[in-house]
Amino acid sequence: MNEMAPTARQEREAKLEGMGCRRKRVEDIRFTQGKGQYVDDVKLPGMLFGDFVRSPYAHARVKKIDATRALQVPGVLAVLTAEDLKGVNLAWMPTLAGDVQMVLADGKVLFQSQEVAFVIAEDRYAAADGVEVVDVEYEELPVLVDPFQSMAPDAPVLREDIKDKTVGAHGPRKHYNHIFEWSIGDKEATDMAFAKAEVTTKDLIWYHRTHPSPLETCQAVASFDKVKGELTVWGTFQAPHVVRTVASLLSTIPEHKIHVIAPDIGGGFGNKVGVYSGYVCAIVASIVTGRPVKWVEDRMENLSATSFARDYHMTAEIAATRQGKVTALRVHVLADHGGFDACADPSKWPAGFFNVVTGSYDFPVAHLVVDGVYTNKAPGGVAYRCSFRVTEAAYCIERAMDIMAQKLGMDPAEFRLKNFIRAEQFPYQSALGWEYDSGEYHVAMRKAMEVVDYKGLRAEQAAKREAFRRGGTREIMGLGISFFTEIVGAGPSKNCDILGVAMFDSCEIRVHPTGSAVARMGTKSQGQGHETTWAQIIATEIGIPADNIMVEEGNTDTAPYGLGTYGSRSTPVAGAAIAMAARKIKAKAQMIAAYLLEVHEGDLEWDIDGFRVKGLPEKFKAMKDIAWVAYNKPPPGMEPGLEAVSYYDPPNMTYPFGAYICVMDIDVDTGAYKIRRFYALDDCGTRINPMIIEGQVHGGLTEALAIAMGQEISYDAMGNVKGASFMDFFIPTAVETPHWETDHTVTPSPHHPIGAKGVGESPNVGGVPAFSNAVNDAFAFLGATHISMPHDHWRNWIAAKTLGLHG
């Protein structure tokens, strides 16, 4: 037959729905019909329910726990305390940060809503009733909520279990409330650069404490089979295999007898990476009672007790020439970790990837110091839609760059353009130790400026400022610019591990005789669309239509060992494993095709969905035909079947980047703001599904809006949580959320098998400083240098009042 016409080739490509196709999300078929299967949908015969007694105090000794009245409540079967857990060596559990954490209060409590006792009952209502009548006698202790007072000479001792330890998991401790000090960079060269600098800035930039607040709270069902000695746990786990390993280490149950299943998950955003007391107590309760036990936290518990995000107090200094060329960066961070260092951080460093704080800029020298301290707040430090403190780093440098531009009298966009890492410098070695893989920063920034008509916006702003000075308007206009470089793809074993397990990821692909396939991964989607995009990668690589590929995740009995989904590591790590596994299958398929076509393997070339002989296009074997032969009559000496497994430990991180511009108007008399325009250009390397990328950007920007413009977990002086419900914690609706404009450039990663970099975290990383810079830019001409987040109406009004605008 003749060479296929272009239209026929296009039809074949379209049938695959491979990479680059705007394929609709296949998982949405069940989600939009309410057919998803979540943890709370798990109902087992004889299932019990657990609920926590929680401390009303932020710091207190637990003098006595009396469960007598609770055990008299109809339906209540047992009440677990720390003393009970000590009998099975489970009173304390390890954290990902190298600390240990109480499962239930052992002698004292360190934050409000800390778990004190676990009530087990026949139903949720009986458990809740039992919680109300557990009598706990507390002795209040002095409360510490200000991290700047943590290492004061007279500060209260928080962690009495380690108060005399002079060395922690990450080196020497300077104080009984000190956790770690981490420094990196060239201090001497940086200090010298500052001493010689023509212009310097120094500002305290606080990234406030917030919370991921996923739609579905943390939950678990544990079922222990005493006959088989096997434990099955269903849970809201972003990393099921890691949970299985931790459960085995804690319980001493052999790992092969533990089955962990993560069904559909209603959002994670980092909140579901760690191991919580509810998981451990449900497991213990099931072992003790011999019946399945379910634990489901409510919204107030989730906001007040599960892992927080951010709470970084960053002192940033930039040195520059009068012409606007940066010469050095110096940053000190005071990190508030709460009562335990339970930071969900798999990197080799206690502050994660914060040393990407040099951002997108060519700083010749830099020095960073991070001090972690304990306070009487909930523990955590999760990667809330970011990659292990990268969001804090991006906010720090983007605010600092705006502050320096203001001092120099330069336009913030032009200041950035002057200091970007140039395309010819890649792969680029940063002053704080990273090797950036690829980037076209100037191209992205100039495209963004051109699309939004940046010069026209600045001219409009100048006119509005003049009108404001004349009293013609009470509205001010801000242009917020953010140019971020993120570091994602947690996986290189030289940089990352979880409790010693390297941060690789995995894929197993099995092609069936009829040409369909099943693919199993070590990742776990919480809404990212893996069932859609993973099939697209495979479709492109081996020529099987995406609709004929079933993707499975979340079951440790069937999926190969993987480190899960968070920190935008799925595409950079698991996506690579998928491509490598598919290529192993393609290599075997090529041998079969060569045998069938009676040519040497080297005489074949890949053509969309099969192999053809070079120069003889009529001699062709489709992948579907090859699959049948692999099981029916493979070449002599070849094993039957067509399947492969790949474990991928990446050689480097990936570095997506983007240029965001926010146009905002603020009424100085009310503090009310209006986001008139938000443009987001992302470069995530090779784009697998543009529609899913846009959805990820929309979702991430909405979360960035929430964080920058009002979302906060705050505490009063007594350690009481002031934002423990959605009445006090900002969750944007369609009313508050503006229209998002998305755009892109494509700079593939040179070391990734398909050139992809990841995008899930980028809009939060870049969005927050864009919003904050817009607010600060609006007030800058009135004399403001730095106004802290969150920028809600009240704080905007206070800023205007402080600047004397309400006279």
Side-chain angles (χ1 to χ4, degrees):
M1 67 181 188
N2 296 325
E3 177 81 6
M4 290 187 177
T7 53
R9 289 180 60 83
Q10 291 170 359
E11 288 176 1
R12 288 164 61 202
E13 288 181 337
K15 184 179 178 181
L16 290 182
E17 290 191 294
M19 290 193 295
C21 172
R22 297 178 69 89
R23 185 184 183 219
K24 290 184 178 180
R25 288 169 40 119
V26 297
E27 46 268 84
D28 287 350
I29 295 171
R30 66 178 185 274
F31 293 150
T32 55
Q33 297 182 62
K35 301 297 184 182
Q37 290 295 310
Y38 299 89
V39 174
D40 204 23
D41 293 318
V42 176
K43 295 176 174 60
L44 303 176
M47 187 166 67
L48 305 175
F49 296 82
D51 199 358
F52 282 112
V53 177
R54 295 182 179 273
S55 170
Y57 301 106
H59 195 200
R61 296 200 187 283
V62 179
K63 305 291 287 185
K64 182 182 178 182
I65 302 175
D66 186 352
T68 304
R69 289 199 298 153
L71 293 170
Q72 294 171 354
V73 172
V76 172
L77 302 181
V79 178
L80 295 179
T81 66
E83 293 304 312
D84 299 310
L85 297 183
K86 286 178 181 178
V88 289
N89 198 33
L90 286 175
W92 293 69
M93 60 182 176
T95 72
L96 295 179
D99 200 354
V100 290
Q101 179 177 350
M102 301 173 193
V103 176
L104 294 172
D106 186 9
K108 69 184 299 190
V109 292
L110 289 168
F111 59 94
Q112 189 182 65
S113 293
Q114 183 174 340
E115 301 85 353
V116 175
F118 191 65
V119 176
I120 307 158
E122 295 284 353
D123 58 54
R124 288 183 180 177
Y125 305 100
D129 289 343
V131 164
E132 292 299 319
V133 292
V134 173
D135 294 316
V136 184
E137 182 182 339
Y138 297 96
E139 176 191 333
E140 289 189 68
L141 297 172
V143 173
L144 175 62
V145 292
D146 182 354
F148 288 93
Q149 298 302 314
S150 284
M151 292 191 285
D154 59 346
V157 178
L158 302 189
R159 290 289 300 278
E160 293 178 355
D161 58 305
I162 57 171
K163 63 181 173 60
D164 296 324
K165 288 185 67 175
T166 57
V167 178
H170 304 286
R173 300 174 67 216
K174 299 185 285 190
H175 186 276
Y176 46 77
N177 289 331
H178 185 237
I179 307 172
F180 64 83
E181 179 185 89
W182 175 48
S183 63
I184 190 167
D186 190 330
K187 183 179 187 305
E188 184 177 349
T190 302
D191 291 345
M192 187 177 299
F194 271 91
K196 296 179 179 179
E198 296 174 344
V199 184
T200 63
T201 57
K202 181 177 182 179
D203 285 273
L204 176 61
I205 300 169
W206 179 42
Y207 201 132
H208 57 287
R209 177 176 285 234
T210 184
H211 195 280
S213 56
L215 184 63
E216 178 194 34
T217 60
C218 295
Q219 308 173 11
V221 175
S223 180
F224 183 69
D225 186 327
K226 289 190 174 183
V227 175
K228 295 181 179 180
E230 294 185 4
L231 173 68
T232 303
V233 184
W234 292 261
T236 49
F237 306 134
Q238 292 184 229
H241 283 95
V242 175
V243 171
R244 186 184 68 183
T245 299
V246 172
S248 180
L249 292 171
L250 288 174
S251 67
T252 69
I253 299 172
E255 195 163 356
H256 70 285
K257 289 196 172 187
I258 300 177
H259 316 283
V260 175
I261 302 166
D264 291 327
I265 295 180
F269 314 116
N271 195 219
K272 296 170 181 172
V273 174
V275 173
Y276 293 113
S277 297
Y279 305 159
V280 177
C281 288
I283 291 170
V284 173
S286 182
I287 293 172
V288 168
T289 64
R291 294 167 64 178
V293 177
K294 177 183 284 188
W295 166 71
V296 176
E297 67 176 357
D298 64 28
R299 180 58 58 190
M300 292 184 70
E301 290 175 312
N302 183 259
L303 283 170
S304 61
T306 59
S307 291
F308 74 94
R310 322 300 191 235
D311 217 346
Y312 259 34
H313 302 257
M314 306 169 289
T315 302
E317 301 176 73
I318 291 180
T321 66
R322 291 189 183 89
Q323 290 71 40
K325 189 68 177 174
V326 297
T327 58
L329 174 69
R330 188 162 56 197
V331 179
H332 177 266
V333 178
L334 187 65
D336 186 340
H337 282 259
F340 306 95
D341 186 7
C343 185
D345 176 11
S347 80
K348 303 286 189 182
W349 307 286
F353 304 148
F354 189 85
N355 52 327
V356 76
V357 71
T358 51
S360 311
Y361 311 106
D362 187 16
F363 282 96
V365 292
H367 186 244
L368 164 69
V369 179
V370 183
D371 277 298
V373 295
Y374 293 119
T375 60
N376 288 126
K377 300 176 186 174
V382 300
Y384 174 11
R385 198 127 188 186
C386 84
S387 188
F388 317 116
R389 304 298 188 175
V390 171
T391 300
E392 292 93 324
Y395 178 67
C396 178
I397 188 60
E398 287 306 290
R399 280 299 304 125
M401 289 295 283
D402 259 28
I403 291 167
M404 175 55 87
Q406 182 179 347
K407 185 166 186 177
L408 290 167
M410 290 183 66
D411 181 272
E414 294 301 328
F415 181 53
R416 285 168 169 79
L417 285 165
K418 191 163 191 170
N419 289 288
F420 278 150
I421 301 163
R422 302 185 307 279
E424 63 270 20
Q425 291 179 275
F426 290 94
Y428 173 80
Q429 295 289 335
S430 79
L432 292 178
W434 293 113
E435 183 184 286
Y436 293 22
D437 54 359
S438 61
E440 291 275 1
Y441 296 168
H442 292 84
V443 171
M445 187 77 240
R446 289 190 175 113
K447 181 178 182 180
M449 294 170 69
E450 181 180 345
V451 170
V452 303
D453 184 17
Y454 184 76
K455 289 184 178 179
L457 288 171
R458 284 296 182 196
E460 179 189 351
Q461 183 187 50
K464 283 198 168 188
R465 286 178 171 178
E466 182 58 31
F468 184 88
R469 290 189 184 97
R470 296 196 311 267
T473 179
R474 297 294 288 168
E475 192 174 76
I476 54 178
M477 173 182 171
L479 289 182
I481 298 171
S482 169
F483 196 101
F484 65 93
T485 295
E486 199 188 357
I487 179 169
V488 301
S493 53
K494 62 184 178 182
N495 297 333
C496 308
D497 68 68
I498 292 182
L499 300 177
V501 180
M503 291 284 288
F504 57 83
D505 228 292
S506 56
C507 174
E508 174 194 277
I509 303 173
R510 294 182 178 180
V511 179
H512 303 312
T514 53
S516 61
V518 59
R520 298 183 174 98
M521 291 80 182
T523 48
K524 177 56 200 173
S525 175
Q526 310 109 47
Q528 292 90 340
H530 289 175
E531 292 173 46
T532 304
T533 52
W534 290 168
Q536 290 183 258
I537 296 174
I538 297 168
T540 294
E541 291 287 343
I542 63 175
I544 293 177
D547 281 346
N548 294 344
I549 301 168
M550 182 171 69
V551 173
E552 294 181 1
E553 298 177 307
N555 190 329
T556 58
D557 285 353
T558 57
Y561 200 106
L563 277 293
T565 294
Y566 40 86
S568 200
R569 68 180 303 274
S570 294
T571 297
V573 188
I578 292 165
M580 300 303 284
R583 290 173 189 181
K584 289 180 182 179
I585 287 174
K586 186 189 284 186
K588 184 175 182 179
Q590 185 170 354
M591 289 189 282
I592 296 172
Y595 171 74
L596 295 174
L597 294 168
E598 300 180 321
V599 296
H600 188 273
E601 294 167 39
D603 294 328
L604 297 177
E605 61 185 4
W606 179 252
D607 183 20
I608 300 175
D609 54 4
F611 290 96
R612 67 178 182 179
V613 178
K614 296 175 183 177
L616 296 171
E618 68 275 10
K619 300 192 71 175
F620 175 84
K621 286 295 175 182
M623 195 69 185
K624 185 173 183 179
D625 300 326
I626 295 169
W628 181 258
V629 171
Y631 288 91
N632 179 35
K633 194 175 180 180
M638 179 182 286
E639 289 184 359
L642 199 56
E643 58 186 57
V645 178
S646 178
Y647 286 81
Y648 185 78
D649 184 354
N652 190 12
M653 312 291 287
T654 57
Y655 297 80
F657 58 91
Y660 290 1
I661 298 176
C662 175
V663 185
M664 185 184 298
D665 298 311
I666 300 174
D667 186 313
V668 298
D669 292 322
T670 64
Y673 63 86
K674 179 183 178 182
I675 297 161
R676 199 191 324 159
R677 188 174 186 184
F678 197 103
Y679 170 87
L681 180 149
D682 281 280
D683 193 315
C684 60
T686 301
R687 293 160 62 84
I688 299 169
N689 186 320
M691 185 164 58
I692 283 185
I693 290 172
E694 290 162 11
Q696 287 285 293
V697 173
H698 285 194
L701 287 175
T702 303
E703 287 181 300
L705 167 71
I707 294 169
M709 308 307 291
Q711 197 172 82
E712 181 183 16
I713 297 292
S714 59
Y715 292 77
D716 66 16
M718 297 302 295
N720 297 308
V721 184
K722 297 196 291 182
S725 79
F726 285 163
M727 293 291 289
D728 305 297
F729 190 78
F730 177 40
I731 298 293
T733 68
V735 174
E736 293 89 6
T737 304
H739 172 71
W740 308 118
E741 294 179 56
T742 60
D743 205 346
H744 67 276
T745 56
V746 178
T747 312
S749 172
H751 63 77
H752 192 278
I754 63 173
K757 294 186 175 186
V759 75
E761 322 296 349
S762 294
N764 200 338
V765 172
V768 172
F771 288 117
S772 187
N773 282 347
V775 173
N776 277 278
D777 183 67
F779 285 106
F781 82 106
L782 299 166
T785 301
H786 174 65
I787 301 168
S788 292
M789 293 191 294
H791 304 293
D792 54 32
H793 295 182
W794 169 247
R795 289 177 174 88
N796 288 341
W797 185 87
I798 290 294
K801 183 175 185 294
T802 303
L803 292 168
L805 302 179
H806 294 161

